[in-house]
Structure formats: structure tokens, C-alpha cells
Amino acid sequence: MTATLAKSRFSPLLLGAALLGLAFQVSAQTQVDDAWVRATVAGQQATGAFMTLTASTDSKLIEVQSPAAKLVQVHQMSMHDDVMKMNEVKSVDLPAGKAVSLDPHGYHVMLMDLVAQVKEGDKVPLTLIIENAKGEKESVQVEAPVRALTEADHKM
């Protein structure tokens, strides 16, 4: 009877622990690859952060935060009447299973009013806020290495 009593007490605990483990697996829905930040020169007040995002469900990038800058925005480069323009966007769609590139020629993260020079070899902490189609938000922490100003736009 003691074994039955112990089993009945611990089964809900084991079930709860297993479900909690599954919940943590489900919450990690967005993968970040090849994140990097372009280095700055002394006195430069802005730079860009770039990466590839792949969400497991239809989602969108709605915000980026970083202690390296007083203002962080998601921007998009576009061509209008042979003039390159850069505008802030409120979100970037992340279709399920499709890699979305944030690069210098399209969507990218702007780090503005930098608190210090960003030097090659540094790492810049970024927090990406992703919202899925159900309205659930996920925070993804990224440590983006800083690459040289002359670094090509492709992966190292």
C-alpha cells in the first residue's frame, strides 16, 4: 500500500514536470542564425544589426531592444524613383519554416544613439520580440558579434 500511495502522490508531479518541459520546448519557436553588427568609428552614432530568422509558426518580429543603443528600430531599405530610402517598419513577417534575412539591402535593425563605439570583436546583446499568430510573445536573446566596417555582407 505504501508503494501505491507514493505512486499516486508522485505521478501528478512527474506529469507536471514533463508538461513543463514540453512548454519550454514549444516556447523556443524562432531560430536566429548568423547574427552580427557592423563596427563603428569613433563618434559614429548609429550602426546596423543583421541576421537570419526562421520561425516554426507564422510570426512576426515586432521589436528589438539593446543596451548598446538608446534607440533601436527595424528598418527596410527600398528603391523609389532611383533613390534608395530607409524607413522604419512596425514588424517583419516571419512565415512558418521560411528563413527571413535581415541584411544591409532590405530589412535590418538600426542601433541609434549608441552609448559607446562598437568595435570589431565586441559582442552586442540584442533582445528580439517575436509575436506568433495567436498573439503570444517570445523574447529571443542574441549575442551578436561585431564585424569590421569593411566586412562583406555575406556570411563569414
PDB file of all heavy atoms in Angstrom, residues 48-82:
ATOM      1  N   GLY A  48      24.173  49.061 -37.906  1.00  0.00           N
ATOM      2  CA  GLY A  48      23.142  48.078 -38.219  1.00  0.00           C
ATOM      3  C   GLY A  48      23.445  46.719 -37.631  1.00  0.00           C
ATOM      4  O   GLY A  48      24.609  46.360 -37.427  1.00  0.00           O
ATOM      5  N   ALA A  49      22.393  45.973 -37.358  1.00  0.00           N
ATOM      6  CA  ALA A  49      22.484  44.581 -36.917  1.00  0.00           C
ATOM      7  C   ALA A  49      21.767  43.734 -37.957  1.00  0.00           C
ATOM      8  O   ALA A  49      20.707  44.117 -38.472  1.00  0.00           O
ATOM      9  CB  ALA A  49      21.852  44.398 -35.542  1.00  0.00           C
ATOM     10  N   PHE A  50      22.351  42.575 -38.242  1.00  0.00           N
ATOM     11  CA  PHE A  50      21.860  41.733 -39.329  1.00  0.00           C
ATOM     12  C   PHE A  50      21.814  40.283 -38.860  1.00  0.00           C
ATOM     13  O   PHE A  50      22.582  39.886 -37.981  1.00  0.00           O
ATOM     14  CB  PHE A  50      22.783  41.880 -40.542  1.00  0.00           C
ATOM     15  CG  PHE A  50      23.115  43.324 -40.835  1.00  0.00           C
ATOM     16  CD1 PHE A  50      24.313  43.871 -40.405  1.00  0.00           C
ATOM     17  CD2 PHE A  50      22.209  44.132 -41.483  1.00  0.00           C
ATOM     18  CE1 PHE A  50      24.620  45.210 -40.650  1.00  0.00           C
ATOM     19  CE2 PHE A  50      22.494  45.477 -41.728  1.00  0.00           C
ATOM     20  CZ  PHE A  50      23.700  46.012 -41.307  1.00  0.00           C
ATOM     21  N   MET A  51      20.930  39.478 -39.451  1.00  0.00           N
ATOM     22  CA  MET A  51      20.771  38.084 -39.044  1.00  0.00           C
ATOM     23  C   MET A  51      19.763  37.408 -39.952  1.00  0.00           C
ATOM     24  O   MET A  51      19.123  38.059 -40.777  1.00  0.00           O
ATOM     25  CB  MET A  51      20.285  38.009 -37.599  1.00  0.00           C
ATOM     26  CG  MET A  51      18.883  38.589 -37.389  1.00  0.00           C
ATOM     27  SD  MET A  51      18.531  39.110 -35.693  1.00  0.00           S
ATOM     28  CE  MET A  51      19.466  40.622 -35.577  1.00  0.00           C
ATOM     29  N   THR A  52      19.619  36.110 -39.776  1.00  0.00           N
ATOM     30  CA  THR A  52      18.583  35.346 -40.459  1.00  0.00           C
ATOM     31  C   THR A  52      17.671  34.748 -39.395  1.00  0.00           C
ATOM     32  O   THR A  52      18.150  34.147 -38.436  1.00  0.00           O
ATOM     33  CB  THR A  52      19.200  34.237 -41.331  1.00  0.00           C
ATOM     34  OG1 THR A  52      20.062  34.839 -42.294  1.00  0.00           O
ATOM     35  CG2 THR A  52      18.117  33.451 -42.061  1.00  0.00           C
ATOM     36  N   LEU A  53      16.359  34.948 -39.568  1.00  0.00           N
ATOM     37  CA  LEU A  53      15.362  34.457 -38.617  1.00  0.00           C
ATOM     38  C   LEU A  53      14.513  33.375 -39.272  1.00  0.00           C
ATOM     39  O   LEU A  53      14.064  33.548 -40.416  1.00  0.00           O
ATOM     40  CB  LEU A  53      14.453  35.595 -38.162  1.00  0.00           C
ATOM     41  CG  LEU A  53      15.138  36.799 -37.523  1.00  0.00           C
ATOM     42  CD1 LEU A  53      14.131  37.910 -37.268  1.00  0.00           C
ATOM     43  CD2 LEU A  53      15.824  36.391 -36.238  1.00  0.00           C
ATOM     44  N   THR A  54      14.271  32.292 -38.539  1.00  0.00           N
ATOM     45  CA  THR A  54      13.384  31.236 -39.014  1.00  0.00           C
ATOM     46  C   THR A  54      12.430  30.891 -37.879  1.00  0.00           C
ATOM     47  O   THR A  54      12.864  30.423 -36.814  1.00  0.00           O
ATOM     48  CB  THR A  54      14.172  29.979 -39.436  1.00  0.00           C
ATOM     49  OG1 THR A  54      15.187  30.361 -40.363  1.00  0.00           O
ATOM     50  CG2 THR A  54      13.245  28.956 -40.089  1.00  0.00           C
ATOM     51  N   ALA A  55      11.154  31.145 -38.093  1.00  0.00           N
ATOM     52  CA  ALA A  55      10.125  30.861 -37.078  1.00  0.00           C
ATOM     53  C   ALA A  55       9.461  29.524 -37.397  1.00  0.00           C
ATOM     54  O   ALA A  55       9.259  29.186 -38.564  1.00  0.00           O
ATOM     55  CB  ALA A  55       9.085  31.978 -37.052  1.00  0.00           C
ATOM     56  N   SER A  56       9.103  28.781 -36.361  1.00  0.00           N
ATOM     57  CA  SER A  56       8.455  27.486 -36.571  1.00  0.00           C
ATOM     58  C   SER A  56       6.963  27.639 -36.876  1.00  0.00           C
ATOM     59  O   SER A  56       6.350  26.732 -37.429  1.00  0.00           O
ATOM     60  CB  SER A  56       8.662  26.580 -35.362  1.00  0.00           C
ATOM     61  OG  SER A  56       8.093  27.170 -34.213  1.00  0.00           O
ATOM     62  N   THR A  57       6.388  28.782 -36.524  1.00  0.00           N
ATOM     63  CA  THR A  57       4.989  29.065 -36.837  1.00  0.00           C
ATOM     64  C   THR A  57       4.916  30.473 -37.437  1.00  0.00           C
ATOM     65  O   THR A  57       5.838  31.268 -37.265  1.00  0.00           O
ATOM     66  CB  THR A  57       4.099  29.028 -35.571  1.00  0.00           C
ATOM     67  OG1 THR A  57       4.530  30.048 -34.674  1.00  0.00           O
ATOM     68  CG2 THR A  57       4.161  27.679 -34.877  1.00  0.00           C
ATOM     69  N   ASP A  58       3.839  30.783 -38.138  1.00  0.00           N
ATOM     70  CA  ASP A  58       3.681  32.129 -38.681  1.00  0.00           C
ATOM     71  C   ASP A  58       3.796  33.132 -37.542  1.00  0.00           C
ATOM     72  O   ASP A  58       3.064  33.047 -36.558  1.00  0.00           O
ATOM     73  CB  ASP A  58       2.320  32.286 -39.370  1.00  0.00           C
ATOM     74  CG  ASP A  58       2.265  31.576 -40.713  1.00  0.00           C
ATOM     75  OD1 ASP A  58       3.334  31.284 -41.291  1.00  0.00           O
ATOM     76  OD2 ASP A  58       1.147  31.325 -41.195  1.00  0.00           O
ATOM     77  N   SER A  59       4.740  34.035 -37.667  1.00  0.00           N
ATOM     78  CA  SER A  59       5.035  35.003 -36.605  1.00  0.00           C
ATOM     79  C   SER A  59       5.477  36.306 -37.237  1.00  0.00           C
ATOM     80  O   SER A  59       5.514  36.434 -38.454  1.00  0.00           O
ATOM     81  CB  SER A  59       6.163  34.468 -35.703  1.00  0.00           C
ATOM     82  OG  SER A  59       5.825  33.229 -35.138  1.00  0.00           O
ATOM     83  N   LYS A  60       5.849  37.248 -36.371  1.00  0.00           N
ATOM     84  CA  LYS A  60       6.429  38.497 -36.863  1.00  0.00           C
ATOM     85  C   LYS A  60       7.375  39.059 -35.818  1.00  0.00           C
ATOM     86  O   LYS A  60       7.158  38.914 -34.612  1.00  0.00           O
ATOM     87  CB  LYS A  60       5.360  39.507 -37.268  1.00  0.00           C
ATOM     88  CG  LYS A  60       4.380  39.877 -36.183  1.00  0.00           C
ATOM     89  CD  LYS A  60       3.267  40.744 -36.748  1.00  0.00           C
ATOM     90  CE  LYS A  60       2.195  40.963 -35.687  1.00  0.00           C
ATOM     91  NZ  LYS A  60       1.095  41.761 -36.188  1.00  0.00           N
ATOM     92  N   LEU A  61       8.439  39.684 -36.301  1.00  0.00           N
ATOM     93  CA  LEU A  61       9.366  40.414 -35.445  1.00  0.00           C
ATOM     94  C   LEU A  61       8.716  41.759 -35.192  1.00  0.00           C
ATOM     95  O   LEU A  61       8.434  42.502 -36.130  1.00  0.00           O
ATOM     96  CB  LEU A  61      10.710  40.590 -36.157  1.00  0.00           C
ATOM     97  CG  LEU A  61      11.735  41.483 -35.454  1.00  0.00           C
ATOM     98  CD1 LEU A  61      12.185  40.871 -34.128  1.00  0.00           C
ATOM     99  CD2 LEU A  61      12.930  41.734 -36.370  1.00  0.00           C
ATOM    100  N   ILE A  62       8.451  42.074 -33.917  1.00  0.00           N
ATOM    101  CA  ILE A  62       7.744  43.323 -33.625  1.00  0.00           C
ATOM    102  C   ILE A  62       8.605  44.358 -32.909  1.00  0.00           C
ATOM    103  O   ILE A  62       8.243  45.536 -32.864  1.00  0.00           O
ATOM    104  CB  ILE A  62       6.447  43.078 -32.821  1.00  0.00           C
ATOM    105  CG1 ILE A  62       6.737  42.389 -31.493  1.00  0.00           C
ATOM    106  CG2 ILE A  62       5.438  42.282 -33.652  1.00  0.00           C
ATOM    107  CD1 ILE A  62       5.541  42.346 -30.547  1.00  0.00           C
ATOM    108  N   GLU A  63       9.743  43.911 -32.343  1.00  0.00           N
ATOM    109  CA  GLU A  63      10.574  44.859 -31.602  1.00  0.00           C
ATOM    110  C   GLU A  63      11.951  44.260 -31.380  1.00  0.00           C
ATOM    111  O   GLU A  63      12.108  43.046 -31.296  1.00  0.00           O
ATOM    112  CB  GLU A  63       9.929  45.156 -30.239  1.00  0.00           C
ATOM    113  CG  GLU A  63      10.643  46.176 -29.403  1.00  0.00           C
ATOM    114  CD  GLU A  63       9.960  46.416 -28.056  1.00  0.00           C
ATOM    115  OE1 GLU A  63       8.875  45.865 -27.783  1.00  0.00           O
ATOM    116  OE2 GLU A  63      10.551  47.170 -27.257  1.00  0.00           O
ATOM    117  N   VAL A  64      12.953  45.132 -31.284  1.00  0.00           N
ATOM    118  CA  VAL A  64      14.302  44.726 -30.911  1.00  0.00           C
ATOM    119  C   VAL A  64      14.782  45.718 -29.855  1.00  0.00           C
ATOM    120  O   VAL A  64      14.546  46.920 -29.967  1.00  0.00           O
ATOM    121  CB  VAL A  64      15.268  44.708 -32.113  1.00  0.00           C
ATOM    122  CG1 VAL A  64      16.657  44.264 -31.684  1.00  0.00           C
ATOM    123  CG2 VAL A  64      14.735  43.802 -33.229  1.00  0.00           C
ATOM    124  N   GLN A  65      15.446  45.196 -28.832  1.00  0.00           N
ATOM    125  CA  GLN A  65      15.983  46.032 -27.761  1.00  0.00           C
ATOM    126  C   GLN A  65      17.467  45.736 -27.607  1.00  0.00           C
ATOM    127  O   GLN A  65      17.905  44.618 -27.892  1.00  0.00           O
ATOM    128  CB  GLN A  65      15.268  45.723 -26.438  1.00  0.00           C
ATOM    129  CG  GLN A  65      13.774  45.885 -26.505  1.00  0.00           C
ATOM    130  CD  GLN A  65      13.061  45.246 -25.306  1.00  0.00           C
ATOM    131  OE1 GLN A  65      13.652  44.511 -24.530  1.00  0.00           O
ATOM    132  NE2 GLN A  65      11.782  45.530 -25.179  1.00  0.00           N
ATOM    133  N   SER A  66      18.236  46.737 -27.172  1.00  0.00           N
ATOM    134  CA  SER A  66      19.652  46.530 -26.894  1.00  0.00           C
ATOM    135  C   SER A  66      20.153  47.619 -25.945  1.00  0.00           C
ATOM    136  O   SER A  66      19.852  48.798 -26.153  1.00  0.00           O
ATOM    137  CB  SER A  66      20.476  46.569 -28.179  1.00  0.00           C
ATOM    138  OG  SER A  66      21.853  46.438 -27.878  1.00  0.00           O
ATOM    139  N   PRO A  67      20.957  47.229 -24.965  1.00  0.00           N
ATOM    140  CA  PRO A  67      21.552  48.235 -24.087  1.00  0.00           C
ATOM    141  C   PRO A  67      22.670  49.019 -24.785  1.00  0.00           C
ATOM    142  O   PRO A  67      23.152  50.010 -24.248  1.00  0.00           O
ATOM    143  CB  PRO A  67      22.104  47.409 -22.920  1.00  0.00           C
ATOM    144  CG  PRO A  67      22.349  46.059 -23.497  1.00  0.00           C
ATOM    145  CD  PRO A  67      21.288  45.869 -24.547  1.00  0.00           C
ATOM    146  N   ALA A  68      23.060  48.624 -25.991  1.00  0.00           N
ATOM    147  CA  ALA A  68      24.129  49.304 -26.727  1.00  0.00           C
ATOM    148  C   ALA A  68      23.657  50.609 -27.361  1.00  0.00           C
ATOM    149  O   ALA A  68      24.477  51.425 -27.788  1.00  0.00           O
ATOM    150  CB  ALA A  68      24.690  48.383 -27.806  1.00  0.00           C
ATOM    151  N   ALA A  69      22.337  50.799 -27.446  1.00  0.00           N
ATOM    152  CA  ALA A  69      21.799  51.990 -28.108  1.00  0.00           C
ATOM    153  C   ALA A  69      20.582  52.513 -27.352  1.00  0.00           C
ATOM    154  O   ALA A  69      19.829  51.741 -26.761  1.00  0.00           O
ATOM    155  CB  ALA A  69      21.406  51.653 -29.545  1.00  0.00           C
ATOM    156  N   LYS A  70      20.409  53.826 -27.404  1.00  0.00           N
ATOM    157  CA  LYS A  70      19.249  54.436 -26.753  1.00  0.00           C
ATOM    158  C   LYS A  70      17.982  54.257 -27.570  1.00  0.00           C
ATOM    159  O   LYS A  70      16.878  54.299 -27.035  1.00  0.00           O
ATOM    160  CB  LYS A  70      19.512  55.918 -26.492  1.00  0.00           C
ATOM    161  CG  LYS A  70      20.619  56.143 -25.482  1.00  0.00           C
ATOM    162  CD  LYS A  70      20.904  57.604 -25.272  1.00  0.00           C
ATOM    163  CE  LYS A  70      22.099  57.776 -24.332  1.00  0.00           C
ATOM    164  NZ  LYS A  70      22.567  59.156 -24.287  1.00  0.00           N
ATOM    165  N   LEU A  71      18.142  54.028 -28.893  1.00  0.00           N
ATOM    166  CA  LEU A  71      17.001  53.834 -29.783  1.00  0.00           C
ATOM    167  C   LEU A  71      17.306  52.679 -30.728  1.00  0.00           C
ATOM    168  O   LEU A  71      18.361  52.663 -31.374  1.00  0.00           O
ATOM    169  CB  LEU A  71      16.734  55.115 -30.586  1.00  0.00           C
ATOM    170  CG  LEU A  71      15.563  55.084 -31.575  1.00  0.00           C
ATOM    171  CD1 LEU A  71      14.235  54.845 -30.849  1.00  0.00           C
ATOM    172  CD2 LEU A  71      15.503  56.399 -32.349  1.00  0.00           C
ATOM    173  N   VAL A  72      16.389  51.712 -30.785  1.00  0.00           N
ATOM    174  CA  VAL A  72      16.541  50.561 -31.678  1.00  0.00           C
ATOM    175  C   VAL A  72      15.271  50.454 -32.506  1.00  0.00           C
ATOM    176  O   VAL A  72      14.167  50.451 -31.956  1.00  0.00           O
ATOM    177  CB  VAL A  72      16.782  49.258 -30.883  1.00  0.00           C
ATOM    178  CG1 VAL A  72      16.982  48.088 -31.830  1.00  0.00           C
ATOM    179  CG2 VAL A  72      17.959  49.407 -29.931  1.00  0.00           C
ATOM    180  N   GLN A  73      15.438  50.388 -33.826  1.00  0.00           N
ATOM    181  CA  GLN A  73      14.290  50.295 -34.729  1.00  0.00           C
ATOM    182  C   GLN A  73      14.577  49.258 -35.809  1.00  0.00           C
ATOM    183  O   GLN A  73      15.736  49.029 -36.168  1.00  0.00           O
ATOM    184  CB  GLN A  73      14.013  51.633 -35.418  1.00  0.00           C
ATOM    185  CG  GLN A  73      13.606  52.745 -34.489  1.00  0.00           C
ATOM    186  CD  GLN A  73      13.396  54.062 -35.219  1.00  0.00           C
ATOM    187  OE1 GLN A  73      13.853  54.280 -36.337  1.00  0.00           O
ATOM    188  NE2 GLN A  73      12.692  54.983 -34.564  1.00  0.00           N
ATOM    189  N   VAL A  74      13.509  48.673 -36.337  1.00  0.00           N
ATOM    190  CA  VAL A  74      13.626  47.794 -37.502  1.00  0.00           C
ATOM    191  C   VAL A  74      13.328  48.658 -38.721  1.00  0.00           C
ATOM    192  O   VAL A  74      12.319  49.371 -38.751  1.00  0.00           O
ATOM    193  CB  VAL A  74      12.654  46.599 -37.407  1.00  0.00           C
ATOM    194  CG1 VAL A  74      12.779  45.719 -38.642  1.00  0.00           C
ATOM    195  CG2 VAL A  74      12.921  45.789 -36.136  1.00  0.00           C
ATOM    196  N   HIS A  75      14.226  48.602 -39.699  1.00  0.00           N
ATOM    197  CA  HIS A  75      14.098  49.419 -40.911  1.00  0.00           C
ATOM    198  C   HIS A  75      14.055  48.539 -42.147  1.00  0.00           C
ATOM    199  O   HIS A  75      14.433  47.372 -42.102  1.00  0.00           O
ATOM    200  CB  HIS A  75      15.295  50.364 -41.042  1.00  0.00           C
ATOM    201  CG  HIS A  75      15.230  51.539 -40.128  1.00  0.00           C
ATOM    202  ND1 HIS A  75      16.051  52.633 -40.259  1.00  0.00           N
ATOM    203  CD2 HIS A  75      14.457  51.809 -39.044  1.00  0.00           C
ATOM    204  CE1 HIS A  75      15.782  53.525 -39.320  1.00  0.00           C
ATOM    205  NE2 HIS A  75      14.825  53.032 -38.560  1.00  0.00           N
ATOM    206  N   GLN A  76      13.614  49.149 -43.246  1.00  0.00           N
ATOM    207  CA  GLN A  76      13.649  48.486 -44.541  1.00  0.00           C
ATOM    208  C   GLN A  76      14.238  49.438 -45.567  1.00  0.00           C
ATOM    209  O   GLN A  76      13.822  50.608 -45.651  1.00  0.00           O
ATOM    210  CB  GLN A  76      12.248  48.058 -44.976  1.00  0.00           C
ATOM    211  CG  GLN A  76      12.257  47.346 -46.312  1.00  0.00           C
ATOM    212  CD  GLN A  76      10.869  46.907 -46.749  1.00  0.00           C
ATOM    213  OE1 GLN A  76       9.867  47.518 -46.380  1.00  0.00           O
ATOM    214  NE2 GLN A  76      10.809  45.851 -47.537  1.00  0.00           N
ATOM    215  N   MET A  77      15.199  48.935 -46.334  1.00  0.00           N
ATOM    216  CA  MET A  77      15.750  49.696 -47.458  1.00  0.00           C
ATOM    217  C   MET A  77      14.857  49.419 -48.663  1.00  0.00           C
ATOM    218  O   MET A  77      14.422  48.295 -48.871  1.00  0.00           O
ATOM    219  CB  MET A  77      17.178  49.246 -47.781  1.00  0.00           C
ATOM    220  CG  MET A  77      18.175  49.522 -46.689  1.00  0.00           C
ATOM    221  SD  MET A  77      18.510  51.258 -46.432  1.00  0.00           S
ATOM    222  CE  MET A  77      19.477  51.632 -47.866  1.00  0.00           C
ATOM    223  N   SER A  78      14.597  50.453 -49.447  1.00  0.00           N
ATOM    224  CA  SER A  78      13.807  50.273 -50.662  1.00  0.00           C
ATOM    225  C   SER A  78      14.220  51.313 -51.685  1.00  0.00           C
ATOM    226  O   SER A  78      14.811  52.339 -51.354  1.00  0.00           O
ATOM    227  CB  SER A  78      12.307  50.383 -50.360  1.00  0.00           C
ATOM    228  OG  SER A  78      12.014  51.654 -49.802  1.00  0.00           O
ATOM    229  N   MET A  79      13.922  51.034 -52.938  1.00  0.00           N
ATOM    230  CA  MET A  79      14.266  51.932 -54.031  1.00  0.00           C
ATOM    231  C   MET A  79      12.990  52.589 -54.546  1.00  0.00           C
ATOM    232  O   MET A  79      12.020  51.911 -54.857  1.00  0.00           O
ATOM    233  CB  MET A  79      14.930  51.126 -55.155  1.00  0.00           C
ATOM    234  CG  MET A  79      15.581  51.970 -56.192  1.00  0.00           C
ATOM    235  SD  MET A  79      17.028  52.767 -55.502  1.00  0.00           S
ATOM    236  CE  MET A  79      18.273  52.045 -56.499  1.00  0.00           C
ATOM    237  N   HIS A  80      12.970  53.933 -54.574  1.00  0.00           N
ATOM    238  CA  HIS A  80      11.838  54.697 -55.084  1.00  0.00           C
ATOM    239  C   HIS A  80      12.370  55.758 -56.034  1.00  0.00           C
ATOM    240  O   HIS A  80      13.159  56.621 -55.631  1.00  0.00           O
ATOM    241  CB  HIS A  80      11.060  55.366 -53.939  1.00  0.00           C
ATOM    242  CG  HIS A  80      10.401  54.409 -52.997  1.00  0.00           C
ATOM    243  ND1 HIS A  80       9.298  53.670 -53.332  1.00  0.00           N
ATOM    244  CD2 HIS A  80      10.722  54.050 -51.735  1.00  0.00           C
ATOM    245  CE1 HIS A  80       8.959  52.909 -52.304  1.00  0.00           C
ATOM    246  NE2 HIS A  80       9.814  53.118 -51.327  1.00  0.00           N
ATOM    247  N   ASP A  81      11.947  55.674 -57.314  1.00  0.00           N
ATOM    248  CA  ASP A  81      12.388  56.649 -58.324  1.00  0.00           C
ATOM    249  C   ASP A  81      13.909  56.772 -58.337  1.00  0.00           C
ATOM    250  O   ASP A  81      14.461  57.875 -58.315  1.00  0.00           O
ATOM    251  CB  ASP A  81      11.736  58.023 -58.077  1.00  0.00           C
ATOM    252  CG  ASP A  81      10.219  57.966 -58.183  1.00  0.00           C
ATOM    253  OD1 ASP A  81       9.705  57.209 -59.033  1.00  0.00           O
ATOM    254  OD2 ASP A  81       9.565  58.672 -57.398  1.00  0.00           O
ATOM    255  N   ASP A  82      14.594  55.644 -58.381  1.00  0.00           N
ATOM    256  CA  ASP A  82      16.060  55.585 -58.427  1.00  0.00           C
ATOM    257  C   ASP A  82      16.738  56.189 -57.203  1.00  0.00           C
ATOM    258  O   ASP A  82      17.910  56.559 -57.256  1.00  0.00           O
ATOM    259  CB  ASP A  82      16.592  56.247 -59.701  1.00  0.00           C
ATOM    260  CG  ASP A  82      16.185  55.491 -60.948  1.00  0.00           C
ATOM    261  OD1 ASP A  82      16.077  54.251 -60.873  1.00  0.00           O
ATOM    262  OD2 ASP A  82      15.986  56.133 -61.992  1.00  0.00           O
TER     263      ASP A  82
END
